[in-house]
C-alpha cells in the first residue's frame, strides 16, 4: 500500500500545468488574470476567479512538489520547499526567515496554526489607518468562509508532550492560554508539517484551492521567476509580466524567457517577493517596501526530565496570549508564546554554542523542549519594521534594524519563557544566546538573563511571518494599495498577500491572509465580470 | 546592524592587520590537501581542509564521517543564492589565506595540524567578536556544519531521533 497523491493524479488527468524547467523555447501566454505566487493569497484568489469562469494563470518561482516528494527529511525539504534553503536572512543576518518557495508557498510547509486576526489589530487599523471597513464584524464572514474551505477547526486530540509543557507552565503560573485551531482533515498527528504533508491532511493551497482552480481550467506555470511587470505605454496600467524559466535545480535560469499578458495582474509573491517585483519594475512609491514586519521570534530551550519527543505529533496546539493582552497594544512589545517542532537539523543550526556543550544538548534531543515568543512589531512608535530593497543582482533583501524596543521585548520574553519552562518541571533551561549557559533554576535564570548583552548574532532570532511592505491605506499617499488590495495608481494591478497588512498581525498570519484574500478576490471577481 | 561605514572600517581594520602582519612573521602555509575523490561543486581543496578541521570542534564529536560532512556542506551551499555563495567564497578564501588564518582567525598552525583547543579558541573569538562581520562568519560555519551533519540520517542514532515508523513504510 502507498499513500495517494491527488495532485499528481490531477496532473496526469490533464491539468494545464507547465514546468518551466521542461520548456525548450520562450513561452508566450495570454490570460484574463495573471496571479504571481501560489501561497495563501494567490491560491485563494485563483480558486475564486477560476470558478467564476475567468481564464486564470498562476505563475510560481518554486517547483510543483506534491505529497510523493515529501519524505519527512529536513535535508530534502528545506532546499526544495523554502526560500534560500530555509536560510533567508535579514541584511545584518540577525534574523533567519522561514518562508515557503514551492507551489502552495508557505501554506505547503507551515505548522497549521490558524488564528483569526485579533480584534485589537483590526480596530487599530481602523483608528490609525482609517481602514474602518475591516472591523471584526465586517471580517467575520470572510473568516467563516476561509475556515469552512480549509477545515479549520478545534484540534480535539491531546497536545503532544512538547505543547503540554507550555500548557502546564501557564497553568502553574496562572497565565491565560488556549488551544490552537488547525487547517487539517484526517490528520495523522505525525509532526512533520514543516517538511510538506506526506498524507495530504494539511489543507494547504497545494491540495485545496490550487487543484480546484486547475479543475476549473486555470493554468499553472512553475519554476518561473517573475522579473518585472510589463507597463502599458501610458504608465497607468500593467500588461502582464515577464521573467526567466528555471532549470530543474529550481534556481538557475534555463536561458528561456516567459512573457505573460493579462487583463489584470495579481501580485501574491509574499511580503518580500511582492515589493521586490514592484521595485524591479521601477514602481517605487514612497511607502513601497517599508514597514515590513516579521514577528521577530526569541527562543528558549529546556531539558526536561522525561522524554517528550518534540518531533512527534501536531507541532503547535497550545498558545498563550497572556503577554499580548495584559499591556497596551502600542506599549512595550507584547508577545505570543508557542512551541516549535524539534527536528535535528533545525535544532542543530538554531541552538547557540558549539562543541561539547551543544553535543551534550543534542544527545538529549528526545528530552529537549523549545519555546518561542513572537514579538508583535509595528504598533509601538519605535517599531517601524524593516525595508525591502534590491541587491545589485536584483534579488531582494530585507533590512530590519534591531531597535531598543525590540531588544527589550526579547529580554522580557526570555524571562517569561524560562519561568514557564521551570514551572513546567524543566531540569535546565538555556535561552538561545551565544553567551547563555544552561541554567539550573528560575532564580539563576532571572539573574543571568538580565545581564546578557543584546546584540545581533549573539541572540538568535528567527521569523516565519513576513508581513507588510505594500500596505493597505485609506489615502493614496499613505500606502500602496486600498483595502481590497487595488494598487493606488495602476488600475489593473492588485496585491493579495501578506504584504498588505499595515502592521504585524499579532498571531500566525495564514488565516488573516486567507480572509483578506477572499474579500479582495470576491471584489475583483465582480469588477472583472462587469 | 552593519552599516556601510562599519563595513568599511572592518575592511580597513582587516587590511591594516594584514599589512602589519607582513612585518611580523610569515605564517606557515597550509599544505595542499591530497586529491579528494569527492565530487564537489563549490568547495575547493583548501575549503575542504578547513571544514575537516573545524567540524569535529564545532560539533563536539570525535570520529565524524568527515567526507559526508564536507559533502553536506557543499550540497547546502549550492542551494543558496549567488549573492550568499559569493560571501561564503570570500569567507573561505579569507580563512584559506595563511595571513587571514593567522591574523584574522588567530590560528597559528596550518588548518590540518591545528589543535582542537586552538580551533575552539578561534571559534569562540569569532562567536563573541565585537565585529558583526566576524560573528556572521562564525554563524555561517556553525549553520553549514550543523546542517550538514544533523541533516544526515547517520547522525540520528546518536540523538535518539527516529522518523515515525507507522508512515515510513508507506512512503515510496
Amino acid at each position: 500500500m502507498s499513500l495517494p497523491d491527488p495532485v499528481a493524479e490531477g496532473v496526469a488527468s490533464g491539468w494545464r500545468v507547465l514546468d518551466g524547467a521542461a520548456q525548450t523555447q520562450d513561452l508566450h501566454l495570454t490570460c484574463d488574470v495573471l496571479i504571481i505566487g501560489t501561497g495563501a493569497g494567490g491560491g485563494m484568489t485563483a480558486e475564486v476567479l477560476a470558478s467564476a469562469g475567468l481564464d486564470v494563470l498562476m505563475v510560481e518561482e518554486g517547483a510543483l512538489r506534491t505529497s510523493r516528494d515529501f519524505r519527512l527529511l529536513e535535508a530534502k525539504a528545506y532546499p526544495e520547499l523554502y526560500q534560500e534553503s530555509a536560510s533567508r536572512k535579514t541584511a545584518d543576518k540577525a534574523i533567519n526567515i522561514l518562508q515557503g518557495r514551492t507551489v502552495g508557498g508557505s501554506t505547503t510547509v507551515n505548522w497549521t496554526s490558524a488564528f483569526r486576526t485579533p480584534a485589537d489589530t483590526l480596530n487599530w487599523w481602523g483608528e490609525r489607518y482609517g481602514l474602518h471597513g475591516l472591523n471584526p464584524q465586517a471580517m467575520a464572514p470572510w473568516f467563516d468562509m476561509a475556515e469552512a474551505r480549509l477545515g479549520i477547526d478545534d484540534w480535539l486530540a491531546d497536545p503532544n508532550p512538547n505543547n503540554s509543557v507550555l500548557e502546564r507552565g501557564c497553568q502553574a503560573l496562572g497565565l491565560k492560554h488556549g488551544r490552537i485551531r488547525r487547517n487539517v482533515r484526517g490528520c495523522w498527528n505525525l509532526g512533520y508539517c514543516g517538511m510538506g504533508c506526506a498524507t495530504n491532511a494539511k489543507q494547504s493551497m497545494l491540495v485545496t484551492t490550487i487543484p480546484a482552480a486547475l479543475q476549473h481550467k486555470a493554468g499553472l506555470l512553475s519554476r518561473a521567476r517573475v522579473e518585472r511587470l510589463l507597463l502599458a505605454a501610458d504608465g497607468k496600467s500593467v500588461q502582464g509580466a515577464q521573467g526567466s524559466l528555471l532549470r530543474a535545480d529550481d534556481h538557475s535560469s534555463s536561458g528561456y524567457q516567459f512573457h505573460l499578458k493579462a487583463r489584470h495582474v495579481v501580485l501574491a509573491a509574499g511580503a518580500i517577493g511582492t515589493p521586490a517585483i514592484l521595485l524591479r519594475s521601477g514602481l517605487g512609491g514612497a511607502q513601497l517596501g517599508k514597514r515590513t514586519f516579521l514577528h521577530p521570534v526569541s527562543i528558549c530551550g529546556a531539558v526536561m526530565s522525561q522524554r517528550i519527543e518534540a518531533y512527534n505529533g501536531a507541532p503547535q496546539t497550545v498558545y498563550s496570549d497572556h503577554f499580548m493582552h495584559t499591556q497596551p497594544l502600542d506599549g512595550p512589545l507584547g508577545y505570543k508564546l508557542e512551541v516549535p517542532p524539534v527536528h535535528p537539523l533545525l535544532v542543530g543550526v538554531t541552538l547557540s554554542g558549539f562543541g561539547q556543550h551543544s553535543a551534550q544538548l543534542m544527545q538529549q534531543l528526545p528530552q529537549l523542549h523549545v519555546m518561542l515568543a513572537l514579538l508583535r512589531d509595528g504598533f509601538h512608535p519605535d517599531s517601524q519594521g524593516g525595508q525591502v530593497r534590491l541587491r545589485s543582482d536584483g534579488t531582494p533583501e530585507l533590512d530590519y534594524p534591531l531597535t531598543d524596543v525590540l531588544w527589550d521585548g526579547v529580554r522580557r520574553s526570555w524571562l517569561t519563557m524560562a519561568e514557564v519552562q521551570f514551572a513546567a518541571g524543566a531540569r535546565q533551561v538555556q535561552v538561545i544566546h551565544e553567551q547563555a549557559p544552561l541554567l539550573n533554576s528560575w532564580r539563576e535564570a532571572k539573574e543571568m538573563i538580565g545581564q546578557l548583552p543584546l546584540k545581533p548574532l549573539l541572540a538568535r532570532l528567527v521569523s516565519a511571518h513576513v508581513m507588510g511592505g505594500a500596505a493597505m491605506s485609506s489615502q493614496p499617499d499613505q500606502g500602496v494599495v486600498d483595502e481590497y488590495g487595488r494598487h493606488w495608481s495602476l488600475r489593473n494591478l492588485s496585491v493579495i498577500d501578506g504584504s498588505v497588512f499595515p502592521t504585524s498581525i499579532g498571531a500566525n498570519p495564514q488565516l488573516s491572509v486567507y480572509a483578506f484574500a477572499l474579500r479582495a478576490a470576491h471584489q475583483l471577481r465582480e469588477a472583472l465580470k462587469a | 546592524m552593519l552599516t556601510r561605514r562599519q563595513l568599511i572600517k572592518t575592511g580597513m581594520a582587516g587590511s591594516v592587520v594584514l599589512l602589519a602582519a607582513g612585518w611580523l612573521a610569515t605564517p606557515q602555509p597550509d599544505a595542499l590537501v591530497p586529491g579528494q575523490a569527492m565530487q564537489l561543486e563549490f568547495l575547493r581543496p583548501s575549503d575542504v581542509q578547513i571544514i575537516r578541521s573545524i567540524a569535529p570542534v564545532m560539533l563536539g564529536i570525535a570520529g565524524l564521517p568527515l567526507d559526508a560532512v564536507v559533502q553536506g556542506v557543499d550540497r547546502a551551499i549550492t542551494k543558496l543564492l549567488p549573492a550568499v555563495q559569493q560571501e561564503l567564497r570570500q569567507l573561505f578564501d579569507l580563512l584559506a589565506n595563511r595571513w587571514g588564518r593567522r591574523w584574522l582567525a588567530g590560528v597559528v598552525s596550518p588548518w590540518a595540524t591545528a589543535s582542537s583547543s586552538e580551533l575552539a579558541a578561534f571559534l569562540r573569538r569569532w562567536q563573541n567578536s565585537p565585529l558583526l562581520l566576524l560573528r556572521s562568519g562564525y554563524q555561517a560555519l556553525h549553520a553549514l556544519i550543523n546542517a550538514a551533519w544533523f541533516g544526515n540520517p547517520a547522525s540520528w542514532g546518536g540523538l535518539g531521533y527516529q522518523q515515525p515508523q507507522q508512515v515510513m513504510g508507506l512512503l515510496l
Side-chain angles (χ1 to χ4, degrees), chain A residues 137-149:
Chain A
Q137 296 71 30
M139 287 305 299
W142 302 109
F143 291 125
D144 290 342
M145 191 186 292
E147 288 169 353
R149 176 68 184 94

Side-chain angles (χ1 to χ4, degrees), chain A residues 71-72 75 84-85 87 93 192 311 343-344 348-349 351 353-355 359 362 366 391 399 434-435 456-457 460, chain B residues 1 57-60 79-81 87 123 127-128 135-136 138-139 142-143 146 151 159-161 163-164 170 172:
Chain A
R71 301 290 83 148
L72 286 59
E84 303 183 36
S85 276
S87 73
K93 300 185 168 55
Y192 287 71
Y311 34 86
H343 292 279
V349 302
L351 285 183
F354 68 91
M362 289 300 289
R391 296 189 184 94
D399 182 20
E434 295 298 346
Q435 294 170 0
L457 299 179
R460 182 71 48 84
Chain B
M1 189 186 67
V57 181
M58 182 70 89
L59 296 168
K79 301 293 182 187
L80 300 175
L81 288 182
E87 289 176 358
L123 292 176
Q127 175 192 29
N128 296 294
R135 294 205 297 280
S136 76
Y138 163 82
Q139 293 292 348
H142 179 269
N146 274 276
L159 311 178
Y161 174 77
Q163 294 168 305
L170 302 176
L172 296 177

Side-chain angles (χ1 to χ4, degrees), chain B residues 149-168:
Chain B
W149 176 234
F150 293 115
N152 185 341
S155 71
W156 298 349
L159 311 178
Y161 174 77
Q162 225 181 8
Q163 294 168 305
Q165 289 312 299
Q166 75 266 36
V167 71
M168 294 315 292

Side-chain angles (χ1 to χ4, degrees), chain A residues 90-122:
Chain A
T90 50
D92 64 3
K93 300 185 168 55
I95 306 180
N96 194 65
I97 301 171
L98 293 180
Q99 228 182 347
R101 182 188 184 272
T102 185
V103 172
S106 293
T107 75
T108 302
V109 292
N110 71 18
W111 299 336
T112 74
S113 296
F115 294 92
R116 293 186 174 203
T117 317
D120 52 1
T121 298
L122 294 174

Side-chain angles (χ1 to χ4, degrees), chain A residues 7 37-41 43 60 62-70 77-78 80-82 99-112 183 192-211 510 514:
Chain A
V7 175
T38 59
E60 166 60 51
L64 171 59
R65 293 220 161 74
T66 69
S67 57
R68 68 172 56 165
D69 301 305
F70 303 153
Y78 300 148
E80 289 184 354
L81 306 177
Y82 285 77
Q99 228 182 347
R101 182 188 184 272
T102 185
V103 172
S106 293
T107 75
T108 302
V109 292
N110 71 18
W111 299 336
T112 74
N183 54 316
Y192 287 71
C193 310
M195 296 167 222
C197 183
T199 66
N200 292 303
K202 173 164 47 177
Q203 300 297 289
S204 68
M205 299 300 98
L206 176 66
V207 302
T208 57
T209 56
I210 293 171
Q510 69 162 334
Y514 296 141

Side-chain angles (χ1 to χ4, degrees), chain A residues 282-294:
Chain A
L283 299 167
Q287 308 298 329
L288 180 70
K290 292 185 182 156
R291 291 185 61 82
T292 301
F293 300 105
L294 290 175

Side-chain angles (χ1 to χ4, degrees), chain A residues 53-252:
Chain A
L54 289 157
D55 178 20
V56 169
L57 177 61
M58 297 172 269
V59 56
E60 166 60 51
E61 183 180 18
L64 171 59
R65 293 220 161 74
T66 69
S67 57
R68 68 172 56 165
D69 301 305
F70 303 153
R71 301 290 83 148
L72 286 59
L73 284 170
E74 292 180 280
K76 179 171 159 58
Y78 300 148
E80 289 184 354
L81 306 177
Y82 285 77
Q83 294 285 358
E84 303 183 36
S85 276
S87 73
R88 175 171 263 184
K89 288 176 177 56
T90 50
D92 64 3
K93 300 185 168 55
I95 306 180
N96 194 65
I97 301 171
L98 293 180
Q99 228 182 347
R101 182 188 184 272
T102 185
V103 172
S106 293
T107 75
T108 302
V109 292
N110 71 18
W111 299 336
T112 74
S113 296
F115 294 92
R116 293 186 174 203
T117 317
D120 52 1
T121 298
L122 294 174
N123 292 331
W124 179 265
W125 293 352
E127 288 162 29
R128 289 297 169 113
Y129 301 98
L131 299 164
H132 299 287
L134 307 177
N135 61 67
Q137 296 71 30
M139 287 305 299
W142 302 109
F143 291 125
D144 290 342
M145 191 186 292
E147 288 169 353
R149 176 68 184 94
L150 303 175
I152 292 172
D153 211 337
D154 294 338
W155 172 249
L156 298 174
D158 287 335
N160 73 355
N162 194 38
N163 281 273
S164 297
V165 170
L166 173 56
E167 194 166 64
R168 245 186 2 255
C170 287
Q171 280 161 355
L173 297 175
L175 306 180
K176 279 175 293 190
H177 59 281
R179 298 281 177 91
I180 301 178
R181 289 155 66 84
R182 312 183 62 220
N183 54 316
V184 293
R185 288 190 168 106
C187 176
W188 291 36
N189 206 5
L190 295 175
Y192 287 71
C193 310
M195 296 167 222
C197 183
T199 66
N200 292 303
K202 173 164 47 177
Q203 300 297 289
S204 68
M205 299 300 98
L206 176 66
V207 302
T208 57
T209 56
I210 293 171
L214 292 167
Q215 208 68 42
H216 283 104
K217 309 268 194 305
L220 169 68
L221 170 61
S222 60
R223 286 179 172 134
R225 177 186 294 143
V226 170
E227 274 147 15
R228 61 184 61 84
L229 302 176
L230 301 166
L231 278 184
D234 65 1
K236 288 181 180 151
S237 61
V238 291
Q239 294 182 318
Q242 71 173 47
S244 298
L245 299 172
L246 304 181
R247 288 180 207 274
D249 67 6
D250 299 355
H251 292 276
S252 52

